[in-house]
Amino acid sequence: MARDTLTREQIVSTAIELLDEEGLDGLNMRSLGKRLDSAATAMYWHVKNKDNLVRLATDEVWGEIDLPDIDALDWRTAAERMATGMYGMISRHPWLVQVLSGYLVYGPNKSRYDDRILTVFERAGFEAAEADRAAATVFMFVLGNAVGAAATISLKRKLSLGKGDPEAEVAAAMAQAAEVAMRFPALRARLENASAGTDYNAAPDNGFDYGLTALLDGLGGRLAR
């Protein structure tokens, strides 16, 4: 594909596909050019470098989040929908966890989200500084919950590069972890409970919903005081 027929939008879209499949470590201009049937040098012409490409891809997926109509909803429902939307977006693109810890990311879609969540908390009655803290707290809660799923995907991808069976290796590691955990009473009680299963590292069912409800309860309490 000639440089003048290739577009930034095509490059970013293909980069997202590559990131979803192979993670951040699998993204490079050579692999991207191969997918687009274009020279790697053409990528640099449109997106400058990998860091800038990652920034563009990150902002693009941030635009997937549907923002609530804050004129039609109460603050808590709006905040809940935005947090759930962000969690879903990161779950679809787990490479974002690594990006957010190692890249400077910004853009119109990210700013659009940030502006809306700040407006939600300000309209609820939080003063500017408190709205900032509330938005940051919700952001870190969502990101923290997404880390587990992203780590599992990265681990299985890493194990798949070896000669063994990734599922078998994970199962063996979990069995060893359970054996160690049996030495500790609180963990042993959970492992001995048949309904808890054998993986004490697993997140509880509906853990995200439970945590988000508790977090918003706390923010609502601060607002009431």
Side-chain angles (χ1 to χ4, degrees):
M1 188 179 296
R3 187 177 67 189
D4 57 353
T5 61
L6 194 63
T7 67
R8 175 182 285 187
E9 289 73 20
Q10 289 174 314
I11 295 173
V12 172
S13 176
T14 304
I16 292 170
E17 293 176 4
L18 183 59
L19 285 162
D20 288 346
E21 293 174 19
E22 301 187 21
L24 188 59
D25 293 336
L27 177 65
N28 59 69
M29 296 304 184
R30 185 185 297 271
S31 297
L32 190 58
K34 186 175 181 180
R35 289 196 175 210
L36 288 165
D37 192 25
S38 181
T41 52
M43 308 299 110
Y44 292 104
W45 175 265
H46 290 279
V47 298
K48 297 182 181 179
N49 52 49
K50 180 179 176 178
D51 283 7
N52 194 51
L53 176 58
V54 169
R55 182 185 67 79
L56 292 169
T58 299
D59 193 61
E60 183 68 22
V61 298
W62 219 272
E64 295 176 5
I65 304 173
D66 290 329
L67 300 187
D69 181 356
I70 56 179
D71 292 325
L73 299 172
D74 62 274
W75 75 268
R76 182 170 177 135
T77 301
E80 183 177 298
R81 289 189 184 179
M82 292 191 70
T84 303
M86 178 185 162
Y87 181 71
M89 182 270 291
I90 296 178
S91 298
R92 292 190 299 273
H93 309 291
W95 46 271
L96 268 174
V97 172
Q98 190 176 354
V99 168
L100 292 172
S101 64
Y103 286 77
L104 294 173
V105 293
Y106 58 89
N109 289 324
K110 176 68 165 57
S111 292
R112 170 176 164 266
Y113 180 94
D114 292 342
D115 182 78
R116 186 65 57 88
I117 193 67
L118 286 173
T119 303
V120 166
F121 287 119
E122 287 177 348
R123 287 195 178 189
F126 290 98
E127 295 183 358
E130 280 289 294
D132 290 345
R133 295 187 188 101
T137 299
V138 172
F139 180 91
M140 293 308 298
F141 168 78
V142 174
L143 184 59
N145 272 266
V147 165
T152 299
I153 291 172
S154 296
L155 175 61
K156 289 184 177 179
R157 184 182 290 124
K158 177 182 178 181
L159 293 175
S160 68
L161 298 176
K163 296 181 180 180
D165 179 352
E167 298 293 340
E169 291 189 49
V170 170
M174 289 300 98
Q176 292 175 8
E179 183 179 342
V180 173
M182 288 295 286
R183 305 172 191 168
F184 302 91
L187 295 177
R188 183 170 62 249
R190 282 157 179 76
L191 290 171
E192 290 173 345
N193 184 345
S195 65
T198 58
D199 182 6
Y200 77 92
N201 286 307
D205 291 339
N206 302 318
F208 176 79
D209 293 337
Y210 175 87
L212 182 58
T213 297
L215 175 57
L216 295 178
D217 282 347
L219 290 174
R222 291 183 65 87
L223 187 62
R225 291 195 297 272

